[in-house]
Amino acid sequence: MKVDGRPYRTIWLGPDGTTVQAIDQTLLPHRFAIRDLRRMEDAEHAIRTMIVRGAPLIGATAAYGMALAMATDPSDPALARAYSVLLAARPTAVNLRWALDDLRARLAALPPSDRRDAAYRRAAEICDEDAEICRRIGEHGLAEIKRLKPRGERLNALTHCNAGWLATVDWGTALAPIYQAHDAGIPIHVWVDETRPRNQGASLTAWELGEHGVPHTVIADNAGGHLMQRDKVDFCIVGTDRTTRRGDVCNKIGTYLKALAARDNGVPFYVGLPYPTIDWTIEDGHRDIPIEERDARELSRISGRNESGEMVSIDVLPENSPAANPAFDVTPARLVTALITERGVCSADEAGLLSLYPERARAA
Ligand code: MRU
């Protein structure tokens, strides 16, 4: 997608052929800066501190993290160490494990001298594949939303967190159909949940929609239900960090409340996802997905730009009040209207997913 008219991906290989470069998302929307990742530890740090974030981009960064590790030391112990260090960087997004399993299996089968180049090649392929998958999610999602009857003059979507191109390598998952609708000339407007505590909606989704010229309005997280009651939302669309075999959707904290409000108001609730986000090993998302508990300071402090243009961080809680910060929640499949994947649109249940991914059926 474009920034200031220039096409960018979120992560790419730098001109020296070893250093990886990524957009630093902790500085957006106020500053657009590129970070150099020179060592595996830089990739781990970028994932852990959310310089890069969003399930597909976390997977792509982990793949490059393995390549950076192999550039320094392609031995078996270094491969095992890179795998475990990167895997521990963030617990919820299953794309992380998917990318690391993929790289480890390929690299372990090669002699150490071949691992560096093979790792860089595979990381680049994962990035290209992610961009293409997201483009296809956009196509399938567009066909789906074209069927909706707008309640007003334009189609009003509501999204939570950031599942746009910044959360992926390009295009986005939830936002891909919105970009394609906008590009096709369909009048569309997006209600953007601010998404406390880290404000990925207010700072990232609003920024990228604005850069692409998509009409949008940022709302407080608590406003969505009210807007749905007033017929101001035609559909909700979100991304996911892990979706189970039976279609339970783990996504940024607050997603579940939007799904409840959508159900109560007859508003379709869609989830856009690429295949690496499906965790075929588990069924019950509520029981089986470990939820990342993040630093309470994400809640107690808020950061932004002051009137002098400096980035500042301020306290919003009483000094002694404890805060809890679960970063994700699980929306049960029954509240999801449909899943939109690169292979098409399906019901949020095992039968629906298997209709698109028959190779995942369990042997009888
Ligand atoms: O904690 P984050 O910012 O990495 O959260 C992930 C997300 O961006 C969202 O949950 C998103 O909707 C799913 S990733 C396409």
Side-chain angles (χ1 to χ4, degrees), residues 84-139:
S84 58
V85 168
L86 289 163
L87 187 64
R90 294 212 47 197
T92 313
V94 73
N95 305 57
L96 176 64
R97 191 182 70 205
W98 172 86
L100 291 171
D101 284 348
D102 180 298
L103 267 285
R104 183 174 63 175
R106 286 166 197 264
L107 300 177
L110 297 174
S113 56
D114 292 350
R115 287 179 182 167
R116 178 201 181 279
D117 289 357
Y120 274 104
R121 250 195 326 272
R122 182 60 188 144
E125 267 170 28
I126 285 177
C127 290
D128 289 346
E129 190 191 343
D130 183 68
E132 175 56 17
I133 283 174
C134 289
R135 193 189 63 72
R136 282 197 253 147
I137 291 172
E139 277 179 4

Side-chain angles (χ1 to χ4, degrees), residues 50 53-56 90 161-163 173 200 239-241 251-252 328:
M50 295 172 71
R53 21 101 12 235
R90 294 212 47 197
C161 194
N162 173 260
T173 53
Q200 289 97 328
T240 168
D241 298 271
N251 194 48
K252 182 53 57 187
F328 297 91

Side-chain angles (χ1 to χ4, degrees), residues 41 43-52 88-90 292 294:
E41 287 77 7
E44 187 275 337
H45 176 260
I47 295 170
R48 188 167 37 77
T49 61
M50 295 172 71
I51 288 167
V52 295
R90 294 212 47 197
E292 183 177 358
R294 293 191 61 88

Side-chain angles (χ1 to χ4, degrees), residues 54-56 58-59 87 90-101 240-244 250 273-282 289-290:
I58 288 171
L87 187 64
R90 294 212 47 197
T92 313
V94 73
N95 305 57
L96 176 64
R97 191 182 70 205
W98 172 86
L100 291 171
D101 284 348
T240 168
D241 298 271
R242 189 182 297 215
T243 287
T244 71
C250 182
L273 73 162
Y275 79 88
T277 304
I278 306 168
D279 189 341
W280 296 98
T281 66
I282 56 173
I289 299 180

Side-chain angles (χ1 to χ4, degrees), residues 202-221:
S203 48
L204 303 177
T205 301
W207 179 79
E208 61 162 274
L209 288 173
E211 287 290 317
H212 197 76
V214 179
H216 62 279
T217 308
V218 179
I219 52 173
D221 287 329

Side-chain angles (χ1 to χ4, degrees), residues 221-237:
D221 287 329
N222 298 327
H226 165 77
L227 293 172
M228 290 186 222
Q229 286 177 319
R230 298 285 164 107
D231 285 344
K232 298 237 162 79
V233 181
D234 295 303
F235 69 105
C236 298
I237 188 159

Side-chain angles (χ1 to χ4, degrees), residues 313-330:
S313 183
I314 56 163
D315 289 323
V316 286
L317 295 191
E319 217 170 295
N320 296 320
S321 292
N325 188 14
F328 297 91
D329 61 25
V330 175

